[in-house]
C-alpha cells in the first residue's frame, strides 16, 4: 500500500448512485479499508492570488493531497481575475511554486466576472459540455443535481455563436439495456460544435452484460465518425471504445 491513500467506507454514502454495484475490479480492498485511484475535484476555491488569507494554493493542495486528491480545478474568483493571459500568468506562477498536486485553473468567461463582455481567454480556450442523451429523465437518474440538458446546449450554442471554440463529450454513452435511444438526434443537437469526443461506459455491470456490447460500440463509433466527417467536426473516439 506504499504511496497510496487508504479511505474508510461509511455505509453506502461513499459510493455514487451511478456507480452502485459497478466498482468490482476498480478498487482494491484491504480489510475495512479500500484503495481508490486518485480523486479529481473539478470545483475548488483556492483564493490565490488576491485572497491568500482565505485559502492559498499551498495549503489547499496540501489538504487535497491528504484526502487522496491528485488533481483539482480552481475557480476564477481571484484578484486579478484570470480573464486574460496576463492575469492568468500570476496564478500559474504561484501554482508552479507552491502546488503539491496538479492544479488546473479555470479562466473567467467574462471580463472581471461581471457577465457583460467576453474575456480575452474566450478566443483561446475551448468550452465544452457532457451530453449522452436528450432525455431529461435519464439525466436526472444518472446526474442528479447537474445542469438540465437544454441549458447546457443553449449555453454552448451561445458561446459557439460568439466565436468560441466548443466541444461535446459523449462519454459514457449508454448501451440500450441501460437507456434505449437513437443516437442521430443527439448528434444533430450538437452539430454546431467544433469537436465531439465519444466513449463507452466502463465499470458498469449492466453494460458489461449487454450481449451485443462490442458490436454496439463499433456501430455507434462509426456513426459518430461519419456524422463528424459530413459536418466538418473534429472527431475523437476514446481508446477502447470500438476496438
Amino acid at each position: 500500500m506504499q504511496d497510496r491513500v487508504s479511505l474508510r467506507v461509511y455505509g453506502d454514502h461513499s459510493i455514487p448512485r451511478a456507480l452502485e454495484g459497478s466498482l468490482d475490479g476498480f478498487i482494491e480492498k484491504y480489510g475495512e479499508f479500500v484503495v481508490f485511484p486518485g480523486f479529481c475535484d473539478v470545483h475548488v476555491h483556492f483564493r490565490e492570488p488576491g485572497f491568500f488569507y482565505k485559502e492559498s494554493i499551498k495549503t489547499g493542495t496540501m489538504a487535497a493531497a491528504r484526502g487522496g486528491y491528485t488533481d483539482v480545478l480552481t475557480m476564477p474568483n481571484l484578484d486579478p481575475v484570470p480573464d486574460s493571459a496576463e492575469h492568468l500568468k500570476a496564478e500559474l506562477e504561484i501554482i508552479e511554486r507552491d502546488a503539491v498536486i496538479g492544479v488546473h485553473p479555470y479562466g473567467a468567461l467574462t471580463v472581471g466576472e461581471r457577465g457583460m463582455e467576453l474575456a480575452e481567454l474566450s478566443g483561446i480556450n475551448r468550452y465544452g459540455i457532457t451530453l449522452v442523451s436528450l432525455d431529461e429523465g435519464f439525466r436526472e437518474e444518472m446526474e442528479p443535481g447537474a445542469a438540465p440538458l437544454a441549458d447546457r446546449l443553449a449555453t454552448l450554442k451561445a458561446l459557439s455563436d460568439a466565436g468560441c471554440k466548443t466541444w461535446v463529450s459523449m462519454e459514457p454513452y449508454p448501451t440500450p439495456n441501460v437507456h434505449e435511444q437513437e443516437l442521430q438526434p443527439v448528434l444533430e443537437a450538437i452539430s454546431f460544435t467544433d469537436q465531439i469526443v465519444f466513449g463507452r461506459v466502463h465499470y458498469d455491470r449492466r453494460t458489461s452484460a449487454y450481449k451485443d456490447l462490442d458490436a454496439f460500440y463499433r456501430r455507434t463509433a462509426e456513426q459518430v465518425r461519419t456524422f463528424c466527417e459530413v459536418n466538418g467536426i473534429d472527431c475523437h473516439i476514446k481508446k477502447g471504445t470500438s476496438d
Side-chain angles (χ1 to χ4, degrees):
M1 296 180 64
Q2 186 177 2
D3 299 326
R4 291 177 171 179
V5 177
S6 299
L7 302 174
R8 187 183 299 274
V9 177
Y10 296 94
D12 294 330
H13 299 289
S14 61
I15 307 298
R17 183 168 58 183
L19 295 178
E20 186 175 357
S22 65
L23 291 175
D24 290 348
F26 184 59
I27 59 176
E28 299 179 42
K29 301 178 181 178
Y30 295 88
E32 63 178 329
F33 298 97
V34 295
V35 177
F36 288 84
F39 299 133
C40 177
D41 192 333
V42 299
H43 187 139
V44 302
H45 289 271
F46 296 167
R47 303 302 305 280
E48 197 174 21
F51 310 96
F52 69 91
Y53 52 88
K54 294 185 177 182
E55 181 76 279
S56 71
I57 288 172
K58 183 175 183 178
T59 59
T61 57
M62 290 177 67
R66 185 67 179 85
Y69 287 83
T70 58
D71 291 88
V72 295
L73 282 73
T74 53
M75 295 295 108
N77 51 336
L78 307 172
D79 185 14
V81 172
D83 55 8
S84 68
E86 180 182 357
H87 289 168
L88 178 61
K89 182 180 178 182
E91 183 181 4
L92 292 175
E93 288 175 347
I94 301 172
I95 291 170
E96 178 65 24
R97 184 188 70 206
D98 293 341
V100 300
I101 62 171
V103 177
H104 313 279
Y106 286 113
L109 186 59
T110 60
V111 174
E113 290 194 300
R114 292 188 291 269
M116 302 296 292
E117 176 186 357
L118 283 176
E120 174 190 325
L121 289 175
S122 299
I124 60 175
N125 280 3
R126 293 189 308 147
Y127 300 92
I129 61 172
T130 59
L131 190 84
V132 298
S133 176
L134 299 178
D135 186 331
E136 188 64 18
F138 182 63
R139 194 279 304 166
E140 290 179 353
E141 175 187 349
M142 300 303 293
E143 300 178 297
L149 303 175
D151 290 353
R152 299 184 203 183
L153 286 168
T155 301
L156 197 68
K157 182 63 164 61
L159 287 169
S160 178
D161 291 345
C164 298
K165 295 293 185 181
T166 62
W167 67 289
V168 176
S169 173
M170 298 184 67
E171 182 189 23
Y173 190 79
T175 48
N177 64 324
V178 174
H179 182 65
E180 184 76 40
Q181 66 178 4
E182 294 294 330
L183 173 58
Q184 192 64 23
V186 183
L187 291 172
E188 291 173 354
I190 57 175
S191 61
F192 61 86
T193 195
D194 297 292
Q195 183 186 50
I196 295 175
V197 178
F198 183 80
R200 65 185 292 168
V201 175
H202 294 280
Y203 313 116
D204 184 274
R205 287 179 176 176
R206 295 173 301 171
T207 298
S208 299
Y210 185 60
K211 63 180 181 180
D212 196 26
L213 179 63
D214 292 337
F216 171 77
Y217 279 118
R218 282 195 296 269
R219 290 194 305 270
T220 50
E222 184 57 33
Q223 187 175 348
V224 173
R225 286 193 192 95
T226 301
F227 181 85
C228 289
E229 182 177 349
V230 169
N231 290 276
I233 300 171
D234 181 40
C235 179
H236 177 66
I237 305 298
K238 296 292 286 290
K239 184 177 179 180
T241 298
S242 59
D243 51 10

